Amino acid sequence: MKNFTNVHDIGPLDAAVREALEIKKDRFAFTGLGRNKTLLMIFFNSSLRTRLSTQKAAMNLGMNVIVLDVNQGAWKLETERGVIMDGDKAEHLLEAIPVMGCYADIIGVRSFAGLRDKAEDYEERVISQFIKYSGRPVFSMEAATRHPLQSFADLITIEEFKTKERPKVVMTWAPHPKALPQAVPNSFAEWMNATDYEFVITHPEGYELDPAFVGGAKVEYDQKKALEGADFVYAKNWSAFADPNYGKVLSTDRAWTVDAEKMALTDNAFFMHCLPVRRNMIVTDDVIESERSIVIPEAANREISAQVVIKRLLESL
C-alpha cells in the first residue's frame, strides 16, 4: 500500500479486519518495523482521537513521531497557485510539502472541507498535493470528503459486536447547530457499501449525499421506518451537499435526535458515533450512556485501524 485515502486502498476487507484483530491481540508484535523511521502528522484542523490514536499506533510500531499544527506552530500556508502572497500567508504549500518530506518517512494529513466551494473540496486539493509533491507515502487523517481511519475503525467495531453474519446497519442524520462536512458519512457509506451488510441511510429531504458515496445503499426519508430491525445505529450530522445549498444547515429539527424511543424500534441495536458528539442534539444522554452504546470501543479501535494502515505503509517502504 503506497497511500491510504479510501476503502479501495486497503484491499480485501476480510483480510484487513483479520489483520486488525491480530494486531489488537498484540500491539507490540511489530515494534521493529518502525525502528529509525519517522511519522510526520500534519494538522490543518483540530483533533483529539485522531491525534492520540495515530501517534499511539506509530509508537506501537517503534516509530519516531513529529506533530505539526499548521495554524498554530508553523507559518500560515497558501494552497492556491497564481495568488499574490501579500496577505497573512507567508509560505506556499508547494515549497512546504517537499521540505516536510525531507524530515519524514511517512506523512499523515488532516485537512477538512472549507464548505465554501464544493469543487475545491471534492477535488481534495490539499491531500492530493501532499501525495504528488512530498515523495513519501501519505495517509488521510480526515480529508475534505472522507475519513477512512474512522470508517475502518467503525468496520472493525461492527465485526467485533455483530451477532449475525449480515447485520442491518443504519446511518441516520441527526441535528447539529453548526455546518459539518460530509467526510464521515461519505466515508462510512463507502466502507459499508464494500461489505455485504444491509445498509440504510436516513435523513431529511435536502440532505442527500453525493451519489458516488451513496452507491447502492437504500435511502429512507422516514427515520423511524429506517430504524426498524436495525442491529447498529450510526448517528451523524452533515451539511447539505447539493447546490445551491452546499455546506449549509437546512434543519436543526430535534425530532431526528436519536433517543430511547427510536432505539426501541431496532433489534436491540448498538449505538455508534465517531465523536465528539453533541448530547441531546445528536443523541440523548440515556442512549449514549446505555449498555448498548459502543462509542468508546469504537474510539479505541481508532488506534488499531491506524496501526494496520501505518504498518502496511512501512512494509511498502
Side-chain angles (χ1 to χ4, degrees):
M1 188 166 69
K2 295 183 178 180
N3 300 292
F4 177 73
T5 63
N6 60 65
V7 69
H8 307 295
D9 292 330
I10 201 72
L13 291 186
D14 55 350
V17 171
R18 282 197 304 271
E19 185 173 357
L21 296 178
E22 286 301 312
I23 283 175
K24 195 167 183 178
K25 291 176 185 176
D26 184 359
R27 290 166 169 80
F28 305 104
F30 300 96
T31 52
L33 193 60
R35 186 171 180 268
N36 296 330
K37 297 290 193 298
T38 298
L39 169 64
L40 174 58
M41 297 166 58
I42 302 165
F43 291 89
F44 289 85
N45 300 95
S46 58
S47 174
L48 189 151
R49 274 149 298 279
T50 298
R51 179 187 297 249
L52 297 178
S53 62
T54 307
Q55 186 167 353
K56 177 66 163 56
M59 293 167 65
N60 292 348
L61 292 165
M63 297 190 78
N64 304 311
V65 181
I66 302 171
V67 178
L68 177 65
D69 287 297
V70 170
N71 295 321
Q72 296 180 11
W75 303 113
K76 289 186 177 181
L77 298 177
E78 178 57 65
T79 60
E80 298 298 320
R81 273 191 169 87
V83 298
I84 297 172
M85 292 177 58
D86 60 355
D88 64 344
K89 296 178 180 178
E91 186 164 5
H92 202 286
L93 206 59
L94 292 180
E95 284 78 61
I97 288 174
V99 168
M100 294 175 190
C102 295
Y103 308 141
D105 298 283
I106 296 173
I107 298 175
V109 180
R110 184 176 180 90
S111 179
F112 293 172
L115 295 181
R116 294 179 297 273
D117 184 326
K118 182 164 71 174
E120 179 178 330
D121 288 342
Y122 275 71
E123 287 171 9
E124 293 285 12
R125 292 182 185 177
V126 173
I127 197 165
S128 295
Q129 289 184 81
F130 273 92
I131 291 171
K132 186 173 182 179
Y133 297 114
S134 70
R136 298 289 183 254
V138 173
F139 67 94
S140 171
M141 299 191 298
E142 187 170 358
T145 64
R146 294 177 174 93
H147 194 352
L149 288 178
Q150 178 64 54
S151 302
F152 187 14
D154 297 334
L155 174 63
I156 295 166
T157 307
I158 292 171
E159 285 293 303
E160 287 182 308
F161 282 88
K162 72 180 186 180
T163 58
K164 60 183 70 168
E165 190 60 31
R166 188 171 184 263
K168 179 179 179 180
V169 179
V170 178
M171 179 172 71
T172 178
W173 179 94
H176 194 284
K178 297 174 62 178
L180 298 184
Q182 300 97 33
V184 169
N186 281 349
S187 193
F188 187 74
E190 187 174 59
W191 284 70
M192 292 299 101
N193 283 328
T195 72
D196 62 353
Y197 303 158
E198 179 183 355
F199 179 50
V200 179
I201 304 172
T202 183
H203 54 72
E205 292 190 20
Y207 279 101
E208 291 78 10
L209 294 167
D210 183 344
F213 292 103
V214 174
K218 179 180 179 181
V219 176
E220 173 58 66
Y221 294 100
D222 184 330
Q223 185 191 37
K224 290 183 177 180
K225 185 177 180 181
L227 292 173
E228 291 176 359
D231 299 294
F232 294 87
V233 175
Y234 195 99
K236 186 70 181 79
N237 175 267
W238 61 89
S239 59
F241 167 76
D243 294 326
N245 295 315
Y246 177 71
K248 294 181 180 179
V249 175
L250 305 181
S251 172
T252 56
D253 183 1
R254 297 195 188 180
W256 281 79
T257 300
V258 178
D259 57 18
E261 180 183 354
K262 306 278 182 58
M263 294 298 290
L265 299 170
T266 72
D267 188 12
N268 198 25
F270 292 103
F271 176 80
M272 301 179 70
H273 189 278
C274 62
L275 303 182
V277 66
R278 299 270 184 148
R279 284 182 174 228
N280 302 306
M281 287 287 293
I282 300 288
V283 59
T284 56
D285 290 333
D286 54 346
V287 170
I288 198 169
E289 294 176 9
S290 76
E291 62 180 15
R292 303 299 285 180
S293 172
I294 54 174
V295 297
I296 303 305
E298 181 184 0
N301 277 332
R302 290 294 309 279
E303 176 187 347
I304 306 305
S305 65
Q307 190 162 336
V308 173
V309 168
I310 297 170
K311 173 179 175 288
R312 290 188 176 193
L313 292 174
L314 284 168
E315 290 169 341
S316 73
L317 293 177

